[in-house]
Amino acid sequence: MLALVAAHLVVAGLLPLVSARSTRAAFGVAAVLPAATLLWALANAGAALGGGLDETTAWSPALGLELSFRLDALGLAMIVLVSGIGAVILAYCTGYFGAGSPDATRSAALLLAFAGAMLGLVLADDLLTLYVFWELTSIASFLLVGQGGERREERRAAVQALLVTVFGGLAMLLGFVLLGEAAGTYRISEILADPPRGGLVTAALLLILLGAFTKSAQLPFHPWLPAAMVAPTPVSAYLHAASMVKAGVYLVARLSPAFSDLAVWTVPVLVAGVGTMLVGGWRALSATDLKRLLAFGTVSQLGFLMVLFGAGGRVAAMAGIAMLLAHGMFKATLFLTVGAVDHATGTRDVRELSGVGRALPGLAVAAVLAAASMAGLPPLIGFVGKEAAFEAFLHGTVENWAVAAGLLLGSVLTVAYSARFLWGAFARKPGRDATETHGLGPALTIPVWLCAAAGPVLGIATPVVDAEAASYAAALPGDPAYHLALWHGFGVPLLFSAVALAGGLALHAARDRLAPLADRSPLDAQRAYERTIAGIGRVAVGVTGRLQIGSLPAYLATILVTFVLLPGVAMVIAGAWPTAAPLYHEAIQVPLAIVVVIAALAVTRARRRFTAVLLVGVIGYGVGGLFIVDGAPDLALAQFLVETLSLVAFVFVLRRLPAHFTETRPSRRIRVPKAMLGAVAGFAVAVFALVLSAARTGPATTSAELARLTPEAGASNVISAILVDFRALDTVGEIGVLFVAAAGVASLVLATRYDRRSRGAPVESGQSTPQHEEDVLG
Amino acid sequence: MTPPDDKPFEEWDRPRQAWMLSGDCRGYRQRTLLLEMTTRALFPTVLVFSVYLLLVGHYGPGGGFAAGLVAGLAFVLRYIAGGSDAAVRVRPPVLIGLGLAVALLTALAPTVVGAPVLATTKLALDVPLIGHVETQTSVFLDVGVYLLIVGVVLDLLRSLGAGIERDMRDAGEPR
C-alpha cells in the first residue's frame, strides 16, 4: 500500500515531463494510477471486508514511528470515491482543459499528488501517518484552489481554505498526541480495539473534532468551501465533492466505533452536523451560481454525513456508508454537469441559463438521475441511504426524535435545492430566450454518465453496499437484523421521505418569495472569518511595532538580559558548583587563552568595523586552537573553516557599510550600562560552562554506548559516526536549515535588484566609493 | 576566447577560463598576478583535498561539512583572484537542491529493502589495482551535505560578492 501511495507522488512528480508534450496526455496518464488503485482495492475487497489488510513499514522504530496502512470496509468505501471518482475526473479533465491552458500542467500533477495524499489518508492506520497525509491534502488543495495566484479571488479563497483547515489540523495533531499517549499506541486499529478513557481523552477528542469540523466545513467553519469554488470545475468536483472535504467525515467515521458512547463525541457532532445540514441547505436556496449552489449543498450533505457517522448506532453507520457513496457519486455528476454546461454555454449563472435541457438532453438526463439520488428518490442509492438514516433515529429518546426532525427538515431543503439545480441549469425560463450552446465532446459527457449511472446501479445493487456497510458497522451497537434495502414496506421512514419530497417541491414552487429570505442569514460566518483575520493582522502589527524597533543593540540587550535573568538565576539557585576545577590542563592552553582574552577585550575598543571583524576572527582561531589542544581535531577543523568563511563574508558586506561604527562616540550614559551588561553576560556564560561541566559526575551512559557502537557503524571517528549515523536525521534537518538560510540571504540581497528592475527607478547604492573601500580595508 | 581544439602544442597550457587570460578581464588596478597564479595551482589541489576529506570522514577528521567548506573556500579564493568573471557555470540553487535531494534519497533508500529510514550498511568491494575498498552507505549522506555546503558558499559568493559588485557597477561607481 505504501508503494501504491508513493507511486502516486512519484508519477505526479514526473508528470510535467509528459505535459510538456501534451497536457491532455498528462491527464490521461494521471488517470491510469487511480484506476489501477481502484481495481487493486476491489480485488482485495474480500479480505478488506473480512479482517482487513495490514501493512507496516518501520519508520523510526526507536520512537515508535511507523508507516502503517490498513484496508478495511471504510477504507474501501473511501477508495471507491477517492480513486474511482479521481480516475473519472482526470479523464474528464482531458476534455475540460484546453490544450494550451497554462493551468493544466500544474493541475494534472497536483491532482494526482492530491489523489495520492488522499489515498494515504484513508489507508493510514497510524495517527501520525494520517496527520501527514491530512496536511498534504490541505497543501495540495491550497495550490489547486489558488491556481496561478494571479487573481485576487483565487488567492483569497486558497488562503482561507488553507488557514481554516490547517488551524483545525494543528489542533487535531495535538489531539492525536494526547490520544496516542493516553492509549499507549498510535495504531488506529489498536486504539479502536481498546479505546482509552479519561480526562485527557476528552480534551483529545474535542481537538480531533475541531480538525474534522474544519476539514469537512462544518458550522461555523463552512464558508471556506463555497469560497473555494473559484477553482476550475474538475478541481472543485474532486476536492470539494468527492474527496478532500470527506476527510473530516472519514475521521469521525474512523474513530466513532471507539468513542461514540461518550457525550463529548456525539453531542458536538450531532449539533454541528444538524446545524450544518440546515444552514447549508438554506443558503443553497438563494445561490445563483450553480457551483455555489452545489457547494452549499455539499456543506449540507457533509453535516448529514457527520450526524450519521457520529451518532454511533449500527443503522446510522450503515446509512452513513450508503450516503457517503451516494453523495460522492451524485455530487461528482452534478459538478461535472456544471462544468459541461459552463463549457457549452459560457456561463453557469442560474439567471442567464435557459433551455439548456432541450439543447443537451443527454446531459440533462444524467443530471436528473444524480439530482434524484440527492433528493432521495427510489430506486437510487440516495433513497436507500436516506431511508436508513430516518430509520436509525426514529426510535427511543427525545433527542433521537429531535435529530430525526432535523434530518427531515434538512431533507426538505435538499429536495428543494435539487429541484432548484435542475430548474436553474436546464429549465426554460419564461421571458428568456434559450441560451446559445455548442456541442460537447465525449471526454466531457462520458465521465458524467459514468458517475450518474452509479446512482441506479448502486441502488439496484444494494446488497453489495449492504455487505460493505455491515462490515463497517459490525462493531457498533444496534439492531443486527437491519439491512439496507430498496423496500422496507410502509412505515414512518417512507412517510418521512414522502414529506421531504412534497415539502421540498413546495419550497421550490415558492422560490421567488423564498430566495430573498434565504439570502439574508442571521449569522455571517464569512464576515466573522474576515474580522478574525483582520484582527490578527492588527495585533501582529502592534506587537511587531513594539518589539521590532529596528535597533540591533536593543535586540541584543533583550536577549542578554533574558539570558542572564532566567537561566542565570536558576543556576545560582540549583547549580552544582565544581569542587575542584583546575585552571588549565595543558601549558599551551595558557597563551592561547591569553590571546583570546586580549582579542576579545580589543574588540570592545575597536572603532573600525574591519578591525573588529579581524579581532573576532582571532578569537575564533584561538578557540579552534583550544579544541586542538583538547583533542578534538574535527571540531577544530570545522571551526577554522567556518571562521575563514565568515571572515570572507564579513569583508564582502563591509564594502557597503560605514568604515567606523559610529561617527560620534556615544555618551557615558549609554556606554556604561552597555559595558556592564556585556560583562555580566560574558561572566554568566563562563560560569555556565563551569557549572555545566561539573554537572556530569560520571561518564554518561550514552558515550559508553557510542564508543561501543562506533566500530559497528563502520567508523573509527566518533564525531562522524554521530553526524551521519546515530543522529543522521538531525543532520538532514540541519542541512535543510542551511538551505533555507542560503535562500534567505540570496533573496534579501537580490531583492533590491529585482525591485529596481521592475520600477526602473535610479539605483540607490550605499556609500561605496573607492575611497570608502580603502577606508574600510585600511 | 576559448582556444581552438587543434591548438599548437606550445599552447596546451593556455588557461581556458577567461579570468586567467591576459587582457582586460578585470580592472587592472585590482589584479594581483601572484594571487592568480597561486590560485591556479591551488584551486584543483584544494578541490582534490576536499574530496579526500569527504571520503576519509568516517575514519578521521573530515566529513561532508568540512569537505564542503574546504571546496567552498577554493571557490572563494578563485573569486577573490578573478572576480565575478570567475563564477562557475552551475547555479548555486541547483547545487543546493541536488545536495538536499541526494541526502533525502539516501535517507529514504533503506526503506526500499525494508530497513528503517537512514539505516546504513557497509559496502565492501575488491577493486583491481587498488585492492579491498570498504565504505559506509552513509558516505552518500555526506556527499549530499558536501554538495549543499558548496552550493551555499557559491550562493554567498553570488549574492554577497558578485551581487554587491553588480549593484556598485549599476550605480556607476568605480570598483
Side-chain angles (χ1 to χ4, degrees):
Chain A
M1 289 180 239
L2 176 61
L4 210 51
V5 175
H8 276 77
L9 303 179
V10 169
V11 173
L14 297 178
L15 265 190
L17 299 179
V18 182
S19 51
R21 302 271 160 80
S22 153
T23 51
R24 293 190 177 189
F27 282 114
V29 171
V32 172
L33 209 46
T37 308
L38 180 67
L39 291 181
W40 166 82
L42 292 180
N44 286 302
L49 295 189
L53 212 62
D54 285 293
E55 184 190 296
T56 298
T57 309
W59 169 254
S60 173
L63 293 175
L65 287 177
E66 48 192 19
L67 291 169
S68 306
F69 294 99
R70 181 179 165 81
L71 179 69
D72 60 2
L74 181 59
L76 186 64
M78 285 299 288
I79 288 179
V80 169
L81 297 183
V82 170
S83 299
I85 295 186
V88 170
I89 286 178
L90 281 166
Y92 177 87
C93 283
T94 57
Y96 184 83
F97 285 100
S101 161
D103 296 337
T105 309
R106 182 181 43 242
S107 294
L110 276 175
L111 274 174
L112 188 60
F114 175 83
M118 204 61 210
L119 182 66
L121 173 68
V122 300
L123 286 177
D125 190 29
D126 179 274
L127 288 175
L128 299 176
T129 314
L130 190 149
Y131 174 75
V132 169
F133 286 114
W134 181 282
E135 293 299 25
L136 279 181
T137 62
S138 288
I139 294 168
S141 116
F142 169 75
L143 295 171
L144 280 166
V145 174
Q147 286 296 312
E150 281 161 16
R151 288 196 302 131
R152 190 180 154 75
E153 270 295 286
E154 289 173 344
R155 289 200 302 271
R156 208 190 51 72
V159 167
Q160 184 176 3
L162 187 74
L163 280 183
V164 173
T165 53
V166 168
F167 157 73
L170 287 177
M172 186 184 78
L173 175 63
L174 188 57
F176 279 174
V177 172
L178 289 177
L179 185 62
E181 291 303 316
T185 172
Y186 283 84
R187 279 290 279 274
I188 296 173
S189 46
E190 288 171 13
I191 292 176
L192 292 184
D194 181 18
R197 288 290 182 264
L200 268 186
V201 175
T202 307
L205 293 182
L206 285 175
L207 289 167
I208 293 174
L209 281 181
L210 195 58
F213 284 1
T214 50
K215 194 80 159 182
S216 277
Q218 297 297 292
L219 221 55
F221 306 109
H222 63 280
W224 72 261
L225 204 162
M229 286 301 134
V230 295
T233 302
V235 171
S236 304
Y238 192 31
L239 266 65
H240 305 127
S243 56
M244 176 172 124
V245 293
K246 293 267 178 35
V249 171
Y250 165 79
L251 185 67
V252 169
R254 176 57 81 199
L255 296 179
S256 243
F259 300 110
S260 57
D261 54 330
L262 297 177
V264 67
W265 182 262
T266 48
V267 170
V269 168
L270 291 181
V271 169
V274 172
T276 309
M277 187 177 187
L278 296 180
V279 168
W282 180 246
R283 294 293 302 275
L285 292 184
S286 68
T288 49
D289 180 352
L290 285 176
K291 263 178 86 179
R292 230 175 132 69
L293 192 159
L294 288 180
F296 278 116
T298 303
V299 170
S300 169
Q301 293 286 319
L302 288 172
F304 188 24
L305 287 171
M306 226 22 133
V307 169
L308 295 180
F309 281 117
R314 180 173 179 274
V315 181
M318 291 177 75
I321 293 281
M323 279 313 294
L324 187 76
L325 291 171
H327 178 248
M329 300 301 175
F330 66 64
K331 201 45 77 72
T333 314
L334 295 177
F335 266 114
L336 297 185
T337 306
V338 173
V341 168
D342 199 359
H343 219 271
T345 63
T347 178
R348 44 172 208 254
D349 193 318
V350 168
R351 292 162 297 189
E352 291 175 21
L353 290 168
S354 180
V356 179
R358 192 157 298 170
L360 303 168
L363 200 63
V365 173
V368 167
L369 269 181
S373 181
M374 178 153 79
L377 295 183
L380 299 150
I381 183 70
F383 171 74
V384 176
K386 210 155 273 188
E387 287 278 286
F390 287 138
E391 170 68 26
F393 289 99
L394 285 175
H395 300 286
T397 59
V398 181
E399 291 87 4
N400 269 356
W401 281 92
V403 173
L407 294 188
L408 174 61
L409 198 53
S411 302
V412 169
L413 295 173
T414 308
V415 173
Y417 70 70
S418 303
R420 180 178 170 80
F421 176 84
L422 291 179
W423 166 81
F426 297 110
R428 170 131 207 176
K429 279 126 198 162
R432 181 168 285 281
D433 294 336
T435 320
E436 273 188 35
T437 55
H438 59 80
L440 295 166
L444 283 179
T445 47
I446 292 174
V448 181
W449 267 99
L450 273 179
C451 287
V457 167
L458 283 178
I460 291 160
T462 303
V464 177
V465 182
D466 180 61
E468 157 87 21
S471 170
Y472 163 68
L476 288 159
D479 178 12
Y482 186 85
H483 287 286
L484 295 176
L486 272 176
W487 182 247
H488 283 291
F490 294 101
V492 189
L494 193 65
L495 175 70
F496 268 44
S497 289
V499 171
L501 187 63
L505 290 179
L507 270 186
H508 179 65
R511 61 181 174 271
D512 291 336
R513 264 162 293 160
L514 212 62
L517 272 182
D519 215 10
R520 264 199 310 247
S521 102
L523 285 169
D524 194 342
Q526 178 64 27
R527 200 180 305 150
Y529 164 80
E530 279 158 13
R531 285 216 182 122
T532 312
I533 296 301
I536 291 173
R538 270 198 299 280
V539 170
V541 167
V543 170
T544 315
R546 274 168 189 75
L547 292 185
Q548 305 283 323
I549 52 178
S551 156
L552 278 179
Y555 297 157
L556 196 58
T558 313
I559 293 170
L560 288 183
V561 167
T562 316
F563 170 73
V564 169
L565 282 187
L566 293 182
V569 170
M571 180 184 64
V572 169
I573 293 173
W577 297 91
T579 46
L583 268 180
Y584 54 90
H585 306 287
E586 311 263 346
I588 185 77
Q589 283 178 325
V590 178
L592 275 174
I594 292 175
V595 168
V596 170
V597 169
I598 291 178
L601 286 176
V603 170
T604 63
R605 309 290 306 162
R607 298 194 44 209
R608 295 160 65 88
R609 288 175 202 267
F610 190 62
T611 321
V613 165
L614 284 184
L615 286 170
V616 169
V618 170
I619 298 175
Y621 282 112
V623 172
L626 287 173
F627 286 152
I628 292 185
V629 174
D630 266 334
D634 255 303
L635 277 184
L637 179 61
Q639 172 80 19
F640 286 139
L641 292 170
V642 169
E643 207 59 55
T644 313
L645 194 63
S646 26
L647 209 58
V648 172
F650 266 125
V651 171
F652 283 152
V653 178
L654 281 188
R655 292 184 292 179
R656 309 297 281 173
L657 290 176
H660 293 95
F661 278 110
T662 39
E663 298 305 322
T664 55
R665 218 169 146 71
S667 69
R668 270 185 84 77
R669 257 190 352 166
I670 300 182
R671 266 191 300 142
V672 173
K674 268 187 184 175
M676 279 175 56
L677 181 59
V680 171
F683 184 70
V685 171
V687 176
F688 263 53
L690 269 180
V691 170
L692 290 184
S693 61
R696 178 171 293 163
T697 49
T701 48
T702 42
S703 16
E705 184 80 346
L706 277 181
R708 192 178 63 73
L709 282 176
T710 307
E712 227 169 89
S716 46
N717 177 357
V718 70
I719 304 282
S720 165
I722 291 175
L723 281 181
V724 296
D725 212 322
F726 304 134
R727 293 273 179 273
L729 193 61
D730 297 0
T731 305
V732 173
E734 279 155 16
I735 62 173
V737 172
L738 268 178
F739 155 67
V740 173
V745 169
S747 16
L748 279 178
V749 173
L750 302 179
T752 54
R753 189 167 319 134
Y754 178 76
D755 258 12
R756 196 171 56 240
R757 198 183 302 151
S758 58
R759 287 201 217 115
V763 181
E764 281 294 326
S765 80
Q767 32 180 306
S768 182
T769 58
Q771 179 58 43
H772 167 75
E773 207 162 328
E774 270 163 28
D775 282 351
V776 170
L777 300 172
Chain B
M1 277 286 194
T2 41
D5 285 331
D6 52 350
K7 60 192 167 190
F9 176 72
E10 54 269 25
E11 280 191 36
W12 68 274
D13 195 24
R14 201 173 155 204
R16 275 176 216 162
Q17 273 92 4
W19 60 280
M20 289 296 185
L21 295 177
S22 55
D24 56 348
C25 59
R26 212 183 160 208
Y28 62 93
R29 216 160 56 88
Q30 281 93 353
R31 285 196 74 182
T32 52
L33 205 59
L34 202 61
L35 184 60
E36 279 186 22
M37 286 304 113
T38 320
T39 305
R40 200 176 160 195
L42 273 182
F43 180 69
T45 319
V46 176
L47 281 190
V48 171
F49 176 61
S50 79
V51 173
Y52 164 76
L53 277 183
L54 172 66
L55 295 180
V56 85
H58 240 71
Y59 308 98
F65 183 70
L69 283 177
V70 167
L73 284 171
F75 283 103
V76 169
L77 194 62
R78 182 166 145 172
Y79 173 80
I80 291 175
S84 52
D85 298 327
V88 279
R89 302 250 159 67
V90 56
R91 296 189 304 140
V94 174
L95 263 186
I96 296 179
L98 200 64
L100 210 54
V102 168
L104 286 182
L105 286 181
T106 314
L108 295 179
T111 54
V112 174
V113 293
V117 172
L118 281 164
T120 57
T121 182
K122 188 174 284 189
L123 287 180
L125 65 161
D126 289 301
V127 181
L129 296 181
I130 298 178
H132 186 70
V133 175
E134 63 173 51
T135 183
Q136 292 288 313
T137 47
S138 60
V139 80
F140 293 111
L141 183 62
D142 257 345
V143 169
V145 176
Y146 177 85
L147 290 175
L148 186 125
I149 299 285
V150 173
V152 167
V153 176
L154 288 180
D155 204 25
L156 202 72
L157 287 180
R158 180 186 65 151
S159 46
L160 292 184
I164 291 179
E165 253 174 39
R166 194 184 321 176
D167 269 356
M168 287 155 62
R169 195 175 58 226
D170 289 355
E173 292 170 8
R175 290 193 300 178

